[in-house]
Amino acid sequence: WNAGAGPAADELGNIYAVSANGIADLSNGRHEYGDSVIRLNPNLTVADYFTPFNQADLNLYDVDLGSSTAILLPASAGGVEHPYLLATAGKEGRLYLLDRNHLGGAQSESDSGALASLPILGHSLFGAAAYFNGSLFVAPEFAMMRAYKISNGELGSVPDSTASFAAGALGATPSISANGAENGVVWIVTANSNGALEAYRADGLGQPLYSSLDNPADSLDGLVEFSVPTIADGKVYVGTQSALEVYGLISAPTPNVLAATNAASYDPRAIAPGSLISLFGTDLSLITASAGSIPLPVSLADVSVSITGIPAPLLYLSPRQLNVQVPVEVAPGPAQLTVRVAGRLS
């Protein structure tokens, strides 16, 4: 059930699911995979699996493995012998590291088929972990969030860093925001005080960078269990019992567009539907950024542009220049152009 988290999939279309309580029995033609990590082919047949040595106890005492989902790690975390890794945990508080190409099958007496099987969390894990820059972040219930190093296919047995405050009932599923591999921030929604959004440095958790409990105006409008913060365009989105709450900077300066020109010739008269234009001015963006893919986004780093009310695709942002495509739907003739930066308009 994975506490609201979904299954994982690799680039070949294999699906990795983690099951909850039930029988584990493949004898006499049975197909029972209780408390197991299961790899499914793209045609949804079982290709491989891992069942812990103590599966019968996990099932008997309701400490199912399937309270948390599988996390597929990048090749940079693996080693020569085991380049493709998978991490998971469950209610028992045991953290597993598996070779996802050779999960290990049914274990007996010990988890010798696992790269790591460490009862180190001390509390149940629900939802999912998160991975960033060589660290696996987990936030078990009634415990501090902590980061474990993974390097060359090996999982550290002690935390590399630990948050200062416990996550409360049901723990949390971390989300990571970053500028590439720099300035990583770990965001969690906890059950503390009926719901709190917290942020920590990814390179050393410690004291929170931010907590919604510090300002009454920032408080969540009722916790939804297993809620996961979503980060996009310089904002953090959190679903609550009655609203979608959006967190972000509230002190952005007002943008000021001074000129709109053809992007190639800088001729202000050579603007047509579908063409690229350059906008010049001040405070047109909080950062410098470029669109990373096609189709071009209509919102990037909390900047959006519209022409006659039609959203315009964005190619490049900087505080003094925006490169934008005129929507093909814009009719010939006079047009109103609006630039929005962090909620402020020009």
Side-chain angles (χ1 to χ4, degrees):
W1 59 290
N2 303 155
D10 64 23
E11 63 276 9
L12 300 178
N14 298 301
I15 298 172
Y16 299 80
V18 185
S19 62
N21 289 333
I23 298 169
D25 186 1
L26 301 183
S27 64
N28 300 318
R30 297 173 67 93
H31 300 280
E32 307 283 357
Y33 294 95
D35 296 303
S36 298
V37 179
I38 306 161
R39 186 177 85 232
L40 302 172
N41 286 323
N43 63 6
L44 301 185
T45 59
V46 175
D48 198 3
Y49 70 100
F50 169 85
T51 304
F53 78 98
N54 59 345
Q55 187 277 330
D57 288 338
L58 299 181
N59 182 37
L60 179 64
Y61 298 109
D62 189 30
V63 284
D64 39 309
L65 182 61
S67 65
S68 176
T69 193
I71 297 293
L72 306 187
L73 306 180
S76 58
V80 175
E81 295 184 9
H82 306 284
Y84 302 108
L85 306 179
L86 176 154
T88 192
K91 286 187 187 177
E92 185 190 15
R94 184 182 295 267
L95 193 56
Y96 299 89
L97 186 66
L98 306 176
D99 183 333
R100 68 179 192 245
N101 287 342
H102 304 283
L103 292 176
Q107 304 295 295
S108 177
E109 297 185 0
S110 71
D111 289 329
S112 59
L115 302 181
S117 172
L118 305 176
I120 54 180
L121 301 185
H123 298 267
S124 299
L125 188 71
F126 295 92
Y131 178 84
F132 178 73
N133 269 10
S135 292
L136 187 72
F137 297 87
V138 291
E141 70 169 354
F142 304 118
M144 284 75 165
M145 180 170 57
R146 71 284 302 263
Y148 291 91
K149 286 293 186 183
I150 299 178
S151 177
N152 200 29
E154 296 185 0
L155 172 66
S157 59
V158 296
D160 182 65
S161 64
T162 303
S164 300
F165 300 100
L170 302 177
T173 293
S175 289
I176 310 291
S177 65
N179 181 12
E182 304 293 330
N183 303 323
V185 177
V186 187
W187 300 85
I188 56 174
V189 175
T190 74
N192 302 334
S193 300
N194 196 33
L197 174 65
E198 300 172 5
Y200 296 83
R201 291 176 61 100
D203 59 0
L205 295 170
Q207 294 288 332
L209 296 170
Y210 170 82
S211 173
S212 62
L213 298 179
D214 293 341
N215 182 357
D218 290 351
S219 61
L220 291 178
D221 190 21
L223 175 72
V224 176
E225 63 182 27
F226 311 130
S227 178
V228 182
T230 298
I231 304 100
D233 280 353
K235 289 185 170 64
V236 181
Y237 299 82
V238 180
T240 69
Q241 292 185 11
S242 61
L244 175 64
E245 303 205 352
V246 185
Y247 293 81
L249 297 175
I250 58 175
S251 58
T254 299
N256 184 23
V257 177
L258 300 177
T261 72
N262 181 285
S265 65
Y266 301 124
D267 185 344
R269 300 164 299 175
I271 294 176
S275 67
L276 291 178
I277 60 173
S278 292
L279 310 180
F280 298 97
T282 57
D283 300 316
L284 301 182
S285 175
L286 300 177
I287 63 172
T288 298
S290 299
S293 62
I294 300 294
L296 298 176
V298 295
S299 178
L300 182 64
D302 210 12
V303 174
S304 62
V305 176
S306 65
I307 301 177
T308 65
I310 302 172
L314 304 176
L315 182 65
Y316 169 81
L317 312 176
S318 73
R320 292 185 175 275
Q321 180 178 344
L322 306 180
N323 290 344
V324 179
Q325 184 182 26
V326 179
V328 295
E329 301 88 348
V330 173
Q336 183 181 37
L337 180 143
T338 302
V339 174
R340 172 190 164 279
V341 181
R344 296 177 180 266
L345 305 178
S346 174

